[in-house]
Amino acid sequence: MGGSCNIFFALAVFILLHHLTSLAFVPNISSDEAALLALKSHISSHPNNILSRNWSSSGPVCSWIGITCSSRHQRVTALDISSMQLHGTIPPHLGNLSFLVSLNISYNAFHGDFPLELAHLQRLKFISITSNNFTGAIPSFLSLLPNLHFLYLSSNQFSGEIPSSLSNLTKLQVLRIQNNFLQGEIPQEIGDLRYLTTLDLQVNKFTGSIPTSIFNITTLQNIALTESNLTGKLPITICDHLPNLEGLHLSVNYLSGVIPPNLDKCRKLQILSLTYNEFIGTVPRELSNLTDLTELYIAALQLKDSMIFPYGR
Ligand SMILES: *[C@@H]1O[C@H](CO)[C@@H](O)[C@H](O)[C@H]1NC(C)=O
Ligand SMILES: *[C@@H]1O[C@H](CO)[C@@H](O)[C@H](O)[C@H]1NC(C)=O
Ligand SMILES: *[C@@H]1O[C@H](CO)[C@@H](O)[C@H](O)[C@H]1NC(C)=O
Ligand SMILES: *[C@@H]1O[C@H](CO)[C@@H](O)[C@H](O)[C@H]1NC(C)=O
Ligand SMILES: *[C@@H]1O[C@H](CO)[C@@H](O)[C@H](O)[C@H]1NC(C)=O
Ligand SMILES: *[C@@H]1O[C@H](CO)[C@@H](O)[C@H](O)[C@H]1NC(C)=O
Ligand SMILES: *[C@@H]1O[C@H](CO)[C@@H](O)[C@H](O)[C@H]1NC(C)=O
Ligand SMILES: *[C@@H]1O[C@H](CO)[C@@H](O)[C@H](O)[C@H]1NC(C)=O
Ligand SMILES: *[C@@H]1O[C@H](CO)[C@@H](O)[C@H](O)[C@H]1NC(C)=O
């Protein structure tokens, strides 16, 4: 009897202690510093050597190059080490920067995975990893970052499909994943992103047609789907719900059917590029209603000899 009581007591103490030790880690500027030093140690080469000298305990973290802190909490809120010719990987420790709002590591040569621990960064509003060497699938945990407004993943080597869970990012305004190796269908759920102003998925290898839900996002100003291996027809009601659209880039795909006369309902359209597709019929005269149109790239069947080549292939 007594023995089993002791076991329960020991178990209770164990659970309590375990609970207390997990509570004991309250991130502060020291853990921010540790996270950044871990990042520094994962950078294998940095030709101009700026970080190796500057990111050092001899100066306060908030004065380090590329670091911005909040004045109220003295915690790291922005990390911008873009365009520093950095090679390396991203350590899980970055997930400890719990006040981080903006992460900009674009235009470097980081590679490998994007660690799951970054899902802890619930304040993140801006992520740019444009022009690095990340591989693998687009991390689906990004959909767990409810405050993301801007997500730039262009010019990496991401493969696989666009996770439909990205539709969870209800505050997203800009989504750029151009120039990767994405496949599969563009998920219909993208249409749930009702504050999106820019959708740039061009230069990928999708299958299927453009989800019609996209044309229901009334905030959209730019749709870029050039060179994406897309098929199917454009909906005849394409512009019914796109009063703000300024750029529609659809060149170099396998789009078929007619060019919808309804395009003149996109009254703010400035750039329309449709070259290198399989459209039939004539260029609708309604396009002449588009008074803001400054660039028009069209190749319908009748115009084959006078095609304009905006992408110089
Ligand atoms: C940060 O927290 C640790 C304990 O987790 C503590 O030892 C350290 O003194 C704190 N640093 C600052 C600057 O508050
Ligand atoms: C790092 O660079 C910043 C800005 O140039 C400077 O203010 C700071 O003193 C430097 N810190 C160290 C430890 O060199
Ligand atoms: C991120 O870095 C790129 C390249 O330096 C720059 O163009 C962009 O403005 C930066 N964005 C933010 C939010 O700092
Ligand atoms: C930060 O994160 C890493 C990896 O996720 C972890 O091992 C470490 O203990 C964390 N805490 C501190 C204070 O660095
Ligand atoms: C990216 O990785 C490829 C190999 O996967 C390599 O050839 C290329 O040089 C890398 N680019 C950069 C900028 O590191
Ligand atoms: C969507 O977001 C909710 C809450 O923000 C989260 O609980 C859920 O796991 C997310 N779903 C996916 C598929 O990421
Ligand atoms: C383009 O899509 C078609 C299916 O619509 C597929 O058969 C083909 O392999 C794709 N091309 C590339 C280069 O991925
Ligand atoms: C677009 O919105 C209209 C109503 O505004 C709705 O009837 C239609 O089903 C929507 N289309 C898609 C593909 O979501
Ligand atoms: C648009 O153009 C067509 C044909 O050129 C014309 O019949 C129509 O009235 C115009 N609509 C508007 C709203 O200007």
Side-chain angles (χ1 to χ4, degrees):
M1 242 354 217
S4 77
C5 270
N6 281 343
I7 287 170
F8 280 121
F9 179 69
L11 192 64
V13 168
F14 174 76
I15 289 171
L16 186 66
L17 281 178
H18 185 73
H19 192 55
L20 284 177
T21 40
S22 43
L23 281 183
F25 174 51
V26 179
N28 58 22
I29 190 68
S30 307
S31 49
D32 285 359
E33 176 173 353
L36 294 170
L37 291 175
L39 172 61
K40 182 176 131 175
S41 73
H42 280 72
I43 294 171
S44 51
S45 88
H46 29 102
N48 45 16
N49 231 19
I50 292 176
L51 294 191
S52 75
R53 275 179 281 113
N54 190 267
W55 285 19
S56 117
S57 304
S58 65
V61 178
C62 296
S63 76
W64 290 2
I65 281 171
I67 303 300
T68 307
C69 290
S70 58
S71 48
R72 192 149 56 106
H73 301 97
Q74 282 299 298
R75 294 290 309 279
V76 174
T77 53
L79 169 58
D80 182 353
I81 49 171
S82 58
S83 307
M84 288 189 176
Q85 296 174 270
L86 306 174
H87 292 239
T89 57
I90 302 298
H93 308 71
L94 273 203
N96 291 344
L97 296 175
S98 53
F99 272 66
L100 200 66
V101 174
S102 175
L103 172 65
N104 194 348
I105 60 169
S106 57
Y107 303 98
N108 284 298
F110 285 105
H111 63 274
D113 291 333
F114 218 55
L116 183 61
E117 283 76 6
L118 297 193
H120 297 148
L121 304 180
Q122 293 286 302
R123 290 183 169 86
L124 268 182
K125 206 169 160 180
F126 175 95
I127 295 180
S128 177
I129 63 171
T130 297
S131 208
N132 277 284
N133 234 346
F134 289 106
T135 47
I138 292 177
S140 55
F141 71 76
L142 290 172
S143 65
L144 300 171
L145 299 172
N147 290 308
L148 266 192
H149 286 58
F150 305 92
L151 182 56
Y152 295 81
L153 307 176
S154 302
S155 301
N156 279 283
Q157 298 178 36
F158 287 119
S159 53
E161 302 191 5
I162 296 180
S164 58
S165 60
L166 287 189
S167 64
N168 231 12
L169 298 174
T170 50
K171 295 179 183 166
L172 206 60
Q173 292 173 18
V174 176
L175 178 60
R176 288 191 189 271
I177 326 184
Q178 70 147 296
N179 198 19
N180 278 285
F181 300 106
L182 300 176
Q183 298 172 310
E185 303 215 355
I186 299 172
Q188 186 80 22
E189 288 86 350
I190 294 280
D192 296 345
L193 299 173
R194 42 195 289 261
Y195 298 113
L196 212 57
T197 58
T198 296
L199 177 66
D200 181 353
L201 306 178
Q202 57 194 336
V203 195
N204 279 291
K205 298 270 184 278
F206 297 117
T207 48
S209 53
I210 305 171
T212 51
S213 60
I214 286 176
F215 304 118
N216 261 357
I217 306 175
T218 56
T219 46
L220 271 176
Q221 294 168 8
N222 265 292
I223 299 176
L225 296 169
T226 301
E227 266 189 80
S228 297
N229 199 36
L230 294 162
T231 56
K233 298 175 181 172
L234 295 178
I236 54 164
T237 56
I238 183 166
C239 281
D240 277 2
H241 304 289
L242 295 175
N244 298 301
L245 198 70
E246 293 171 5
L248 181 60
H249 305 262
L250 301 175
S251 293
V252 198
N253 282 293
Y254 301 96
L255 300 171
S256 55
V258 298
I259 298 173
N262 175 274
L263 280 168
D264 75 342
K265 293 248 177 65
C266 286
R267 302 206 73 73
K268 293 190 185 163
L269 206 58
Q270 294 170 20
I271 305 177
L272 174 62
S273 66
L274 303 171
T275 25
Y276 278 113
N277 277 290
E278 295 173 356
F279 294 117
I280 53 166
T282 55
V283 176
R285 68 179 69 226
E286 282 79 0
L287 291 193
S288 63
N289 292 343
L290 290 168
T291 48
D292 288 346
L293 202 63
T294 53
E295 292 174 51
L296 173 64
Y297 305 104
I298 290 232
L301 273 186
Q302 301 82 335
L303 296 181
K304 269 222 158 112
D305 294 333
S306 57
M307 280 196 284
I308 303 163
F309 305 129
Y311 293 94
R313 70 171 184 184

